[in-house]
Amino acid sequence: MKILITGGAGFIGSHVVRLFVTKYPEYQIFNLDKLTYAGNLENLRDIENASNYNFIKGDIVDAEFINSIFQQEAFDAVIHLAAESHVDRSITDPLAFVFTNVIGTVNLLNAAKEQWKGNFDGHLFYHVSTDEVYGSLGEEGMFTEETPYDPRSPYSASKASSDHFVRAYHETYGLPVKVSNCSNNYGPNHFPEKLIPLAINNIKNGKPVPVYGKGENVRDWLFVKDHATAIDAVFHKGKIGDTYNIGGVNEWKNIDLIRLLCDIMDEKTGEPQGTSQQLITFVTDRAGHDLRYAIDSSKIMHELDWKPSVTFEEGLSKTVDWYLENKEWLQHVTSGSYQDYYQTQYTR
Ligand code: NAD
Ligand code: DAU
């Protein structure tokens, strides 16, 4: 089987590529990535010479290019992760999210439909999406696969749009699709614009740790390698046309999570307990900041026999170790344009 994985040089994509390359030596894996600021081939150094791994640099917004690689390689299946993924960037530049997340997805759907036309058997277009499409929860309740869509940021609106297109291609043309909607991931290779790696990097450098608003917002955190195993389960065992919610059953208020992270950092760096917590700084809230996300994962757990493999404490500890051990990686991704981004985002 020839599988196209888009966005494989990014955070989650690199873990999915690694899992598929190592677990399924009989598959040929093609990683298609534009290598934006978030794409990094250093994430895949350990598997880049594997005989079943292939890298293609390219932009999913370029329809002609996408059609040509489908004709050239005749992929059997697609796992689509490429996206603009950061909510704060979507607030300053919504159009970039429309291009990649909406138009890029439709370009891939068109190319797959054209390539597989007349015979959809044995083919699959698997779209990786987010729980943010369901909107914001109050104190109670969880997102299920039946929760109506209510996206509230330009990022989630663009992901919701792409989800709708994927399902529309299934209903209209019979394209074999699957969709999964996952909660917040954390772990190695996470770009330090997102809360957890940003906080680790700032604590490491003795810089303020910015917490939006009062830190009351709640997220449901899942270790990235557990998301990759969930994607494997949906890809191989999920039903065509179905949606699967994936979450960690692991809700944390931002401020509680940051306090825990500070304590883990103090412990691992030999600082007295309480040192890093002094860096916590409350800053202007994110516009339209969703209060709470929580995923009901019972469908994937019962139907596909998937569950998270690590507790949050174990996962966070492994994550902190990874960032402390991979200084060079962190240095590379926080030089250059990251400094400009940080300046603009945090000195408003
Ligand atoms: P990321 O930002 O770390 O990586 C995105 C990757 O896509 C990068 O390698 C980037 O170079 C590539 N890319 C961006 N635009 C492209 C384009 N036009 N053409 C080709 N490649 C392009 O993102 P991530 O956090 O790994 O998320 C991956 C997917 O999972 C996204 O679809 C995201 O919506 C979804 N998701 C993320 C989370 C999370 O917590 N990070 C949770 C649920 C779902
Ligand atoms: O829920 C899944 C989504 O999780 C994914 O679809 C997105 O791609 C991913 O980026 C993530 O979105 P969030 O906006 O929840 O993640 P982020 O790490 O940006 O923020 C987590 C929480 O922390 C959120 O409530 C905002 C807050 N925050 C974030 C940053 C960057 C802060 O308080 N300070 C910060 O500096």
Side-chain angles (χ1 to χ4, degrees):
M1 176 150 48
K2 276 183 156 185
I3 305 175
L4 174 68
I5 300 183
T6 69
F11 168 47
I12 301 169
S14 60
H15 289 277
V16 175
V17 166
R18 176 175 300 98
L19 179 67
F20 274 69
V21 164
T22 52
K23 187 171 173 188
Y24 302 106
E26 69 278 23
Y27 296 170
Q28 277 296 323
I29 304 301
F30 292 78
N31 170 16
L32 165 66
D33 201 296
K34 183 181 175 183
L35 300 182
T36 67
Y37 77 92
N40 185 352
L41 290 177
E42 283 180 46
N43 293 345
L44 293 164
R45 281 285 174 258
D46 55 324
I47 54 114
E48 68 186 1
N49 294 322
S51 58
N52 64 337
Y53 172 71
N54 311 268
F55 176 67
I56 305 170
K57 184 169 190 293
D59 188 344
I60 59 170
V61 179
D62 182 347
E64 219 174 288
F65 166 74
I66 293 299
N67 292 336
S68 73
I69 60 158
F70 269 79
Q71 275 160 19
Q72 202 176 305
E73 300 296 348
F75 304 117
D76 297 297
V78 177
I79 306 177
H80 175 36
L81 295 109
E84 287 293 339
S85 70
H86 191 37
V87 174
D88 291 328
R89 290 186 194 250
S90 82
I91 294 168
T92 48
D93 185 11
L95 256 188
F97 287 68
V98 175
F99 282 119
T100 288
N101 299 0
V102 185
I103 296 172
T105 301
V106 176
N107 284 340
L108 289 163
L109 287 166
N110 282 336
K113 175 166 84 67
E114 187 57 28
Q115 180 68 35
W116 303 336
K117 86 178 154 210
N119 184 11
F120 286 149
D121 282 356
H123 294 299
L124 175 64
F125 190 101
Y126 176 5
H127 179 61
V128 175
S129 193
T130 170
D131 62 355
E132 300 200 12
V133 297
Y134 297 122
S136 181
L137 291 164
E139 303 284 315
E140 299 289 317
M142 288 181 136
F143 299 132
T144 72
E145 287 81 0
E146 277 71 48
T147 303
Y149 274 28
D150 183 23
R152 294 156 35 99
S153 74
Y155 164 68
S156 54
S158 69
K159 289 296 291 187
S161 172
S162 63
D163 294 11
H164 289 322
F165 271 105
V166 171
R167 294 194 183 101
Y169 272 59
H170 178 62
E171 295 299 333
T172 309
Y173 308 110
L175 194 76
V177 308
K178 296 177 189 176
V179 178
S180 58
N181 296 82
C182 188
S183 64
N184 286 63
N185 286 215
Y186 71 97
N189 310 95
H190 205 181
F191 191 79
E193 64 186 350
K194 309 282 169 68
L195 180 65
I196 290 180
L198 184 144
I200 294 174
N201 186 41
N202 284 16
I203 295 168
K204 222 172 135 272
N205 294 311
K207 283 175 56 179
V209 176
V211 174
Y212 295 164
K214 294 183 178 149
E216 297 286 312
N217 306 68
V218 175
R219 297 292 183 265
D220 172 1
W221 294 94
L222 178 70
F223 193 52
V224 64
K225 294 184 189 196
D226 285 330
H227 189 187
T229 62
I231 288 174
D232 181 17
V234 172
F235 182 86
H236 287 100
K237 299 191 278 181
K239 275 202 223 109
I240 299 284
D242 264 22
T243 295
Y244 296 86
N245 278 0
I246 306 166
V249 201
N250 178 40
E251 290 182 53
W252 284 80
K253 256 189 200 164
N254 290 340
I255 187 62
D256 296 337
L257 159 59
I258 290 300
R259 288 201 178 110
L260 172 65
L261 190 58
C262 285
D263 293 347
I264 295 176
M265 285 293 286
D266 286 346
E267 192 189 308
K268 300 223 183 239
T269 57
E271 295 293 332
Q273 279 297 318
T275 307
S276 299
Q277 286 206 26
Q278 291 168 23
L279 297 169
I280 294 174
T281 309
F282 294 96
V283 300
T284 312
D285 208 352
R286 173 183 281 173
H289 196 171
D290 288 342
L291 178 66
R292 176 173 164 256
Y293 306 143
I295 276 275
D296 179 344
S297 306
S298 41
K299 179 177 174 184
I300 186 170
M301 286 177 161
H302 293 139
E303 290 187 14
L304 307 187
D305 198 23
W306 170 88
K307 62 175 188 321
S309 69
V310 291
T311 65
F312 192 45
E313 285 73 9
E314 285 164 350
L316 259 192
S317 172
K318 282 175 196 257
T319 303
V320 169
D321 286 343
W322 189 86
Y323 281 91
L324 294 177
E325 281 159 20
N326 288 272
K327 292 191 186 70
E328 234 176 75
W329 184 94
L330 203 47
Q331 222 162 36
H332 291 169
V333 300
T334 54
S335 60
S337 64
Y338 179 80
Q339 294 302 329
D340 300 335
Y341 165 77
Y342 197 90
Q343 188 73 9
T344 314
Q345 177 63 23
Y346 293 97
T347 49
R348 286 168 298 161

